[in-house]
Amino acid sequence: MARDAKAGRERRRGGSGVGRAMSAIALLPIASRVPDYARLAAALLRDDRIPAGRKALLAGAAGYLLLGRDLVPDRIPLLGALDDLIVVGLAVDLFIDGVPEGVVDEKLDELGLDRASFERDLAQLRRLTPSPVRRTTRRLAAALEMGGRTWRESGFGPWLRTRHKEDQFA
């Protein structure tokens, strides 16, 4: 009876950890398109219509990769690379969610990239990422955006810079 309940929970949650790890193998075709997606990310980062907070998500993911201090050490086969993939996938997913409507389509057309392949790859990344991680990350991104908006609207930043300059010359 308990075994049946556990199997039911695993099916509702999207399978076991082993199943999720096996689905990571399906990401290999995405690896061949990484250069194209890097060009897309660069084009989007240069676009002034993209909010700075969303651009910071990609910078944070790049920092995580370059820092070398992972949640799961890279020396652990498959799982070591999986946490890097999840972090990058989440950052890209949240970044794309923050891009104004139509801008991604515009950039895909400019670069000659296939929209259907892009959507499939993004969906694959979303399936690989555990839903509690996605939900928490989305809430964090929303909180950071709200904090940034509150900071800008408060006028505290310009006031603080003015105070700092006054203190320097006093």
Side-chain angles (χ1 to χ4, degrees):
M1 179 89 167
R3 175 182 252 174
D4 291 338
K6 182 178 178 184
R9 279 194 308 274
E10 285 182 356
R11 276 193 301 276
R12 285 190 300 274
R13 287 190 312 225
S16 68
V18 172
R20 186 173 289 118
M22 292 304 292
S23 70
I25 294 171
L27 293 175
L28 293 178
I30 296 174
S32 68
R33 291 186 284 279
V34 166
D36 291 335
Y37 294 150
R39 288 183 18 242
L40 175 63
L44 289 167
L45 286 170
R46 287 189 302 266
D47 195 302
D48 292 335
R49 297 172 288 181
I50 310 299
R54 293 302 171 140
K55 292 177 182 182
L57 286 169
L58 291 184
Y64 178 82
L65 291 176
L66 296 174
L67 194 61
R69 304 288 289 175
D70 292 352
L71 295 172
V72 179
D74 288 339
R75 67 180 177 272
I76 298 174
L78 191 60
L79 294 177
L82 195 59
D83 77 313
D84 293 344
L85 185 62
I86 288 172
V87 167
V88 170
L90 280 171
V92 168
D93 190 18
L94 288 169
F95 174 73
I96 294 296
D97 279 352
V99 172
E101 194 73 30
V103 176
V104 172
D105 290 330
E106 177 186 313
K107 298 300 180 186
L108 286 169
D109 288 343
E110 283 177 17
L111 297 170
L113 301 177
D114 180 47
R115 176 69 181 192
S117 294
F118 174 75
E119 289 293 334
R120 246 189 336 272
D121 293 346
L122 199 54
Q124 180 67 19
L125 285 172
R126 288 176 178 150
R127 279 192 301 275
L128 178 65
T129 307
S131 58
V133 173
R134 275 197 325 268
R135 278 193 307 272
T136 301
T137 307
R138 290 195 188 289
R139 288 179 185 143
L140 179 60
L144 288 173
E145 276 188 19
M146 187 172 64
R149 194 171 36 252
T150 303
W151 176 266
R152 282 189 305 277
E153 292 171 1
S154 74
F156 186 70
W159 175 83
L160 188 60
R161 283 191 293 277
T162 304
R163 287 289 290 175
H164 180 69
K165 285 181 184 177
E166 289 173 3
D167 291 343
Q168 280 182 328
F169 298 114

